[in-house]
Amino acid sequence: MTAVLVLFGVLGAFAALLIVTLLRRGSGRTENADGLLIEQDRRLQAHSDRTSYNAFAAHNSVPTMSDSQRYRR
């Protein structure tokens, strides 16, 4: 029973620490736009990857060019 109370106490203290940390950070805007530019670049790269490596692009190739045909003996 003591172990369970200690476990819940540690979890509660950890949750309180997270809440205090998040409240101290504040919700203000960033001073520069570097993070937003990085996020925008990653989003555009992900969109490009999704359109380049979709099922149609992967399976609409000549059968001898796919990996399953190339390594078959």
Side-chain angles (χ1 to χ4, degrees), residues 13-65:
F14 184 67
L17 177 67
L18 288 176
I19 290 170
V20 168
T21 302
L22 289 175
L23 289 176
R24 281 185 45 208
R25 291 175 71 191
S27 60
R29 297 183 63 102
T30 58
E31 294 178 7
N32 55 24
D34 290 339
L36 295 174
L37 292 174
I38 291 170
E39 183 179 349
Q40 182 181 11
D41 288 341
R42 297 299 185 264
R43 186 177 45 81
L44 292 174
Q45 182 65 42
H47 175 71
S48 174
D49 290 345
R50 282 192 302 271
T51 56
S52 297
Y53 302 111
N54 61 14
F56 182 74
H59 298 297
N60 193 26
S61 61
V62 180
T64 58
M65 295 302 293

